Amino acid sequence: MSVGDGFLEMGTVATSINANTFQFFTRNPRGGSVKPINTDDILNLNDYMKEMGFAKVVAHAPFIMNLAAKEESKREYAINVLTDDIMRMELLPDNYYNLHPGAHTGQGAEVGIEKIADALNRVIYEEMTTTVLLETMTGKGSEIGGTFEELRQIYDKVHLKDKVGFCLDTCHIFDGGYDIVNDLEGVLSEFDRVIGLDKLKAIHLNDSMNVLGSKKDRHAKIGEGNIGLEALVKVITHPSLKDLPFVLETPNDVEGYAAEIKLLRGICNG
C-alpha cells in the first residue's frame, strides 16, 4: 500500500481482509515524490491500531534509495530520504522501516558495506523509536545483502545496534540460494549463527517464480511458485518465526491478498 491511500484507510483496508498488520511505501517506490504529512491522519491510525490490536507495521523505503551509491549525489539523496522517512515514522512510533541495503555498483562489496553502515550511523539516533530493518536480498548484480554474512558485516559497523534489525524475504533468500523448501531448519540455524534470530523482526512472505539460487527476484503468488504452499506454511508456523509480523508482497490486488490470507489462516488454524 502507499501513503497516498491515507494512513487510516490503510488500516481499515487491512482489517477488511482479516490482516492485523500491513506494509506501506513511504513515498513513490520508484521515484522520490512524497506527500505532505497529515498529522491527524497518522494519529487516527495510531488510535485505530491500538483499538484493533495490530502487530507492528512495516514501512518500506523507495527502491531507488541506494545508500551504497558510487555517485555522491545519489548517495546524499538516499541519506536525505532516509532522514526524512525516519522523521515521518516517528509520528507512528515503535514500528519498522524496511530498506534494501544497496548496491555497490562496481566499487566492491566491502566499500558498499562501509558506505551503508556510515549512512545508517549518520541518520540513526538514540531517541528514535523506529527500528530500521535490513532486508535479505537475492544477491543479483552488485546488490549487497544476498548473504547473511554481508548483512552481519553492515550490522557490526552500526553504532546504535538496538535501532537495527532484519527482515527475511522468502523469495529473496530462496533465489539467493538458501533452500527453505528442503532445509528450513538448516537455513534458520545458519541465520541464527551468523546474525541471530533475536534480531529478525519481520518476514516478507512470497513465493518465487524462479528456481533455487537463480538470483533473479521475481515474486509469485502463494503456492504458485517454486517454493510452494507447504514450505511457506512451515515458515509461518515455525516456532522461531510464528510471532513475527508477516507481509505479503505477492503480485496481487486487495482481493488477491484477502484470498491468500484466508488460505493461510485456514491452514494454520485448521
Side-chain angles (χ1 to χ4, degrees):
M1 288 188 272
S2 165
V3 289
D5 301 323
F7 279 98
L8 180 58
E9 182 181 356
M10 291 189 290
T12 58
V13 169
T15 301
S16 74
I17 60 175
N18 200 23
N20 63 350
T21 186
F22 60 89
Q23 178 174 272
F24 64 95
F25 282 101
T26 56
R27 58 189 71 213
N28 185 335
R30 302 196 182 278
S33 59
V34 61
K35 288 198 169 188
I37 295 173
N38 184 334
T39 305
D40 288 341
D41 188 28
I42 297 175
L43 292 175
N44 287 336
L45 175 61
N46 276 321
D47 292 341
Y48 184 77
M49 290 197 302
K50 290 176 184 176
E51 177 187 348
M52 302 304 294
F54 268 59
K56 291 182 184 292
V57 298
V58 183
H60 200 301
F63 296 132
I64 64 166
M65 194 177 89
N66 184 6
L67 298 175
K70 184 176 182 179
E71 297 88 347
E72 196 56 32
S73 62
K74 291 183 179 180
R75 184 164 180 266
E76 283 301 318
Y77 167 80
I79 291 172
N80 289 337
V81 169
L82 177 60
T83 302
D84 185 62
D85 279 357
I86 293 297
M87 179 270 292
R88 291 166 177 268
M89 284 301 296
E90 286 302 289
L91 298 174
L92 199 65
D94 299 308
N95 286 290
Y96 296 140
Y97 180 80
N98 180 78
L99 57 84
H100 294 180
H104 63 74
T105 60
Q107 304 169 91
E110 186 176 343
V111 172
I113 287 167
E114 191 70 44
K115 285 189 170 185
I116 295 164
D118 173 73
L120 293 172
N121 286 330
R122 287 171 59 178
V123 177
I124 292 173
Y125 58 97
E126 187 68 53
E127 295 81 14
M128 72 184 231
T129 67
T130 304
T131 301
V132 175
L133 303 185
L134 300 173
E135 184 174 343
T136 58
M137 306 304 293
T138 67
K140 68 179 185 294
S142 66
E143 196 174 64
I144 294 169
T147 66
F148 300 155
E149 286 79 6
E150 286 185 345
L151 292 171
R152 179 70 202 211
Q153 287 171 45
I154 298 170
Y155 179 81
D156 284 343
K157 294 177 182 296
V158 172
H159 300 151
L160 298 175
K161 290 181 169 54
D162 62 318
K163 306 298 181 184
V164 174
F166 298 87
C167 175
L168 187 150
D169 186 302
T170 54
C171 171
H172 290 179
I173 63 171
F174 182 77
D175 284 17
Y178 292 97
D179 191 357
I180 59 172
V181 175
N182 299 301
D183 190 20
L184 177 62
E185 289 296 337
V187 172
L188 293 179
S189 293
E190 181 71 0
F191 187 97
D192 192 36
R193 181 186 69 80
V194 176
I195 295 176
L197 282 169
D198 60 312
K199 301 175 185 65
L200 182 58
K201 304 299 183 182
I203 305 287
H204 284 169
L205 192 74
N206 302 303
D207 214 324
S208 176
M209 293 184 183
N210 300 297
V211 297
L212 176 68
S214 65
K215 299 188 185 299
K216 288 185 177 179
D217 188 9
R218 293 285 304 281
H219 297 189
K221 295 178 182 180
I222 300 299
E224 296 185 11
N226 288 298
I227 298 175
L229 179 60
E230 181 181 352
L232 291 171
V233 168
K234 288 180 180 177
V235 171
I236 295 172
T237 56
H238 193 280
S240 298
L241 309 178
K242 64 184 180 67
D243 294 327
L244 298 177
F246 283 79
V247 172
L248 293 166
E249 293 182 324
T250 51
N252 265 315
D253 54 16
V254 173
E255 289 185 0
Y257 291 129
E260 288 184 336
I261 290 170
K262 182 179 180 180
L263 169 67
L264 294 168
R265 285 194 184 280
I267 293 172
C268 294
N269 297 330

